[in-house]
Amino acid sequence: MTRPIIEMRNVVKSFGLFKALHGVNLQVKEGEIVVVIGPSGSGKSTLIRCINQLEEHNSGEIIVDGAEVGRGRKSTVLTEVGMVFQSFNLFPHMTVLRNVALGPVRVRGLSWASAEERARRLLTRVGLEGHVEKYPAQLSGGQQQRVGIARALAMEPKVLLFDEPTSALDPEMVGEVLDVMQQLAKTGVTMVVVTHEMGFARRVADRVVFMDGGRIIEEGPPDEIFNAPRDPRLGSFLQAVLSH
Amino acid sequence: MVTNIEVLPVMSIFDTFLNWKVFVQTLPLLLSGLTTTLTLGVTAIVLGFVGGLVLALLRLYAGSPLRQIAIAYIDVFRSIPILVLLVVIYYALPFVGLRLSPFGAAASALSLVSAAYSAEIVRAGIEAVPTGQFEAARALGLSPWRRMSDVVLPQALRIVIPPITSNSINVMKDTALASVVAMPDLLKQATQAQALAANPTPLISAAVIYILLLMPLVRLVGVFEKRLAVRGR
Ligand SMILES: Nc1ncnc2c1ncn2[C@@H]1O[C@H](COP(=O)(O)OP(=O)(O)O)[C@@H](O)[C@H]1O
Ligand SMILES: [Mg+2]
C-alpha cells in the first residue's frame, strides 16, 4: 500500500563540469502528492526529468515501480510515468482528440475507436468536451495545458510529473489548471509537482520538498515547511516568493 | 551570317525564329522529349527525396560507421558537378562492366546528387522541430520510430516544403544535361529537330516550354517565402 513507487538514491547529474544534482535522495510513496519548490536553477526540473529519463543521471539509483531505470537500461516502466510540461508541448499538427488518443494507440495497443472514446472521457473531465476537434493553436494557454494533462492521463500512468505547469500561463488561467490538478490529486494517482504556486502546495501537497543548489535542503508536510522552516535558505526563499 | 541577319526584314525574323510551319512539324518530337524530361525529373526528385530522408536520419541518429558514411556521401555528392558525375557513370562505369542506358545514367546522376542536397534540407527541417516535441513524444513512451513518424517528421516535412520545391526546380533544370549522353529529352529532341528543319524554331520552342513548366514552381517558392516572412514577424 505505502511502498515507494519512486526511490532515488544518491542521484548525481552533471551537465559537463556543472553538477545540477549533488546526490539526491527522495522517496515517493504510492498515491502521495509531493510538491517540489526552490529557486530557479536549483535543479527541480533536472530532478523530475531524471525520473522519466529525459535526462540520464550520472550515478546513484533511480527505481520506479520496482525497476531501476536509466544508465543504459531499457525500461518499459517509463510508460507508467506521465509528464506535463511548462510549455505544454502539444503536437501542433494533430487535433486535440488525436493528441490525447495517440499514446494509448501507439504504446498500449488500443484501437483508435476505443482510444478516442477514452480521450473524449478525459477531455470532458478537464472541461474541454467542446474542443476535441480543434488544433492546439486554436486554444488558450490554460486549455492547452488541460489537454496536456489529459494526454498524460490517457496512458493511465502510475506517476504523474508536472514541471511548472502554470508558469507559462496568463494569471487568469492559472486557476483552471490548478483546479484540474487538485481534482486529480483526489483520485489516488501519485504526483510530483514542481511549482511556484505556494497556495496549491499548502492545499494539495502531502509533502513539500525544498531544493537549493542541486540538493534537497528540507522536506516535510506543508504546515511545517511553510510555518516553521528550519533552514535559513528555505526561510528567505519563502519570504521572497510570498512577498512578491 | 551575322550581316545577313541584319539586312533581313522583320518578316524573316519570324520565319527564322518563330516559324509556324516548323513549329507544327516538330511539335510531336518536342512533346516526346518533354515526356522524357518529365519522367526523368520526377524520378530523380522522388528517388532523391527518399534517399535524402534516409541519409538525414542516418546522419542524425545512426551509430558510428553509418553516420560517417552518410556524412561522407553528402559531402562528396554536393561537391561533384552533375555533368561530371553523369559522364563518369555513362562513359567510365562500362569499363567495370556496369553499362546503364542513357535514362538510367541520367536518373542515377540526378538522384544521387539530389539525395545529398535533400538530406541537408531534411536535416535542417528535423532540427527546426522544437526539442519539446521530441521530449513530449518520448515522455508518452512512443518508440523511436513512432516519435519520428508520428510527431517529428510530419512537422519537419511541412517546414521543408519550400526548400524541397526549390531543389526540385534545380533537378528539373539539370535534366537538360542528359542530352549529353544522347538521352532523347526535350533539349536533345529540340536540337535534333533544329537540324532536320534547318531552322532554330524548335530550340526557341523548347526554351519556352522549360520556362512554362518551371515558372509556376518558381512562383510557388516565392509565395512560400512571402508567407514565411509574414509568419516570422
Ligand atoms: N541541458 C542543460 N545543459 C547545461 N546545463 C543545464 C541543462 N539543464 C539544466 N542545466 C543547469 O542545471 C541547473 C538546474 O537546472 P534546472 O533543473 O532546470 O533548475 P530549475 O528547474 O530548478 O530552475 C541550472 O543551473 C541550469 O542552468
Ligand atoms: Mg525548471
Side-chain angles (χ1 to χ4, degrees):
Chain A
M1 192 50 204
T2 54
R3 74 189 171 105
I5 188 139
I6 302 171
E7 179 151 24
M8 303 178 84
R9 285 194 214 123
N10 206 18
V11 172
V12 173
K13 170 66 194 174
S14 308
F15 295 105
L17 292 176
F18 177 78
K19 255 191 191 177
L21 295 179
H22 291 262
V24 167
N25 291 290
L26 178 71
Q27 284 200 1
V28 180
K29 295 192 209 76
E30 225 170 327
E32 202 179 10
I33 313 296
V34 172
V35 169
V36 182
I37 61 173
S40 168
S42 59
K44 307 181 297 295
S45 296
T46 306
L47 174 87
I48 63 169
R49 289 163 61 85
C50 279
I51 295 173
N52 72 347
Q53 289 300 301
L54 287 180
E55 304 289 356
E56 188 141 4
H57 56 290
N58 301 94
S59 64
E61 288 174 352
I62 301 178
I63 295 153
V64 178
D65 199 24
E68 188 171 357
V69 299
R71 292 197 286 138
R73 278 181 199 79
K74 281 201 177 129
S75 182
T76 53
V77 89
L78 290 176
T79 59
E80 309 303 326
V81 181
M83 178 123 176
V84 176
F85 298 87
Q86 178 174 350
S87 49
F88 326 135
N89 297 347
L90 298 182
F91 305 132
H93 58 297
M94 295 179 195
T95 63
V96 163
L97 193 65
R98 275 259 152 163
N99 263 277
V100 180
L102 183 70
V105 170
R106 297 299 192 220
V107 181
R108 302 280 192 237
L110 266 64
S111 68
W112 278 108
S114 54
E116 286 181 359
E117 191 189 309
R118 179 188 289 185
R120 276 177 208 281
R121 185 159 37 77
L122 289 166
L123 287 164
T124 304
R125 195 161 132 198
V126 300
L128 292 173
E129 58 277 18
H131 302 279
V132 292
E133 294 302 337
K134 290 187 182 168
Y135 284 85
Q138 297 170 281
L139 302 181
S140 74
Q143 291 170 329
Q144 288 190 50
Q145 192 56 298
R146 285 184 279 152
V147 176
I149 294 172
R151 178 175 69 178
L153 283 175
M155 293 295 290
E156 302 184 327
K158 293 190 172 131
V159 180
L160 267 178
L161 308 173
F162 295 79
D163 193 0
E164 301 201 28
T166 59
S167 294
L169 298 178
D170 292 335
E172 74 271 19
M173 294 170 185
V174 170
E176 66 192 57
V177 171
L178 292 180
D179 285 347
V180 167
M181 290 169 62
Q182 191 165 350
Q183 291 305 315
L184 208 55
K186 293 176 189 157
T187 63
V189 64
T190 310
M191 290 166 57
V192 180
V193 183
V194 174
T195 186
H196 292 295
E197 297 293 331
M198 297 302 149
F200 175 84
R202 266 182 206 273
R203 270 179 284 126
V204 181
D206 296 315
R207 185 154 48 107
V208 176
V209 169
F210 171 68
M211 289 187 73
D212 194 20
R215 291 186 173 85
I216 291 178
I217 304 294
E218 195 166 331
E219 56 182 304
D223 266 359
E224 274 177 29
I225 293 286
F226 291 113
N227 300 333
R230 278 166 294 162
D231 194 284
R233 282 167 288 184
L234 173 56
S236 56
F237 172 74
L238 289 175
Q239 215 160 28
V241 288
L242 295 176
S243 67
H244 66 250
Chain B
M1 254 338 221
V2 174
T3 44
N4 231 354
I5 286 171
E6 271 169 7
V7 297
L8 284 174
V10 174
M11 266 321 285
S12 304
I13 291 178
F14 272 93
D15 277 347
T16 308
F17 291 106
L18 300 166
N19 188 305
W20 180 252
K21 227 178 89 193
V22 174
F23 175 73
V24 171
Q25 268 174 0
T26 55
L27 190 60
L29 200 58
L30 292 185
L31 288 182
S32 88
L34 175 62
T35 310
T36 310
T37 289
L38 282 173
T39 311
L40 176 62
V42 170
T43 304
I45 286 167
V46 171
L47 289 180
F49 181 72
V50 173
L53 189 59
V54 173
L55 283 167
L57 291 173
L58 289 177
R59 170 156 198 178
L60 284 171
Y61 304 113
S64 202
L66 278 177
R67 199 178 116 82
Q68 271 75 35
I69 290 170
I71 292 172
Y73 176 98
I74 291 167
D75 288 353
V76 167
F77 283 93
R78 287 205 308 166
S79 310
I80 192 165
I82 296 187
L83 185 53
V84 174
L85 179 62
L86 177 60
V87 168
V88 166
I89 290 177
Y90 190 70
Y91 292 108
L93 287 189
F95 286 92
V96 293
L98 193 58
R99 192 176 300 278
L100 292 178
S101 65
F103 184 91
S108 304
L110 289 170
S111 309
L112 288 168
V113 170
S114 179
Y117 282 98
S118 302
E120 287 302 87
I121 293 171
V122 171
R123 178 170 75 111
I126 290 174
E127 285 174 343
V129 174
T131 324
Q133 293 293 311
F134 292 79
E135 292 186 346
R138 230 189 113 178
L140 262 189
L142 299 182
S143 66
W145 167 242
R146 281 296 177 193
R147 281 177 234 156
M148 271 295 134
S149 67
D150 286 350
V151 175
V152 176
L153 285 183
Q155 298 183 61
L157 295 186
R158 217 162 292 186
I159 295 169
V160 304
I161 288 173
I164 284 291
T165 310
S166 221
N167 183 58
S168 301
I169 293 171
N170 288 335
V171 173
M172 267 300 173
K173 284 186 192 168
D174 290 338
T175 56
L177 294 171
S179 55
V180 170
V181 293
M183 201 193 72
D185 74 324
L186 180 52
L187 178 60
K188 185 75 194 169
Q189 299 296 56
T191 34
Q192 204 94 336
Q194 179 209 356
L196 287 175
N199 178 292
T201 299
L203 284 180
I204 305 295
S205 313
V208 171
I209 292 174
Y210 277 115
I211 291 170
L212 290 180
L213 180 67
L214 292 177
M215 213 157 59
L217 287 177
V218 169
R219 200 79 293 286
L220 197 62
V221 172
V223 171
F224 288 145
E225 278 163 0
K226 200 183 258 172
R227 204 182 294 166
L228 223 63
V230 170
R231 211 184 306 155
R233 245 184 261 154

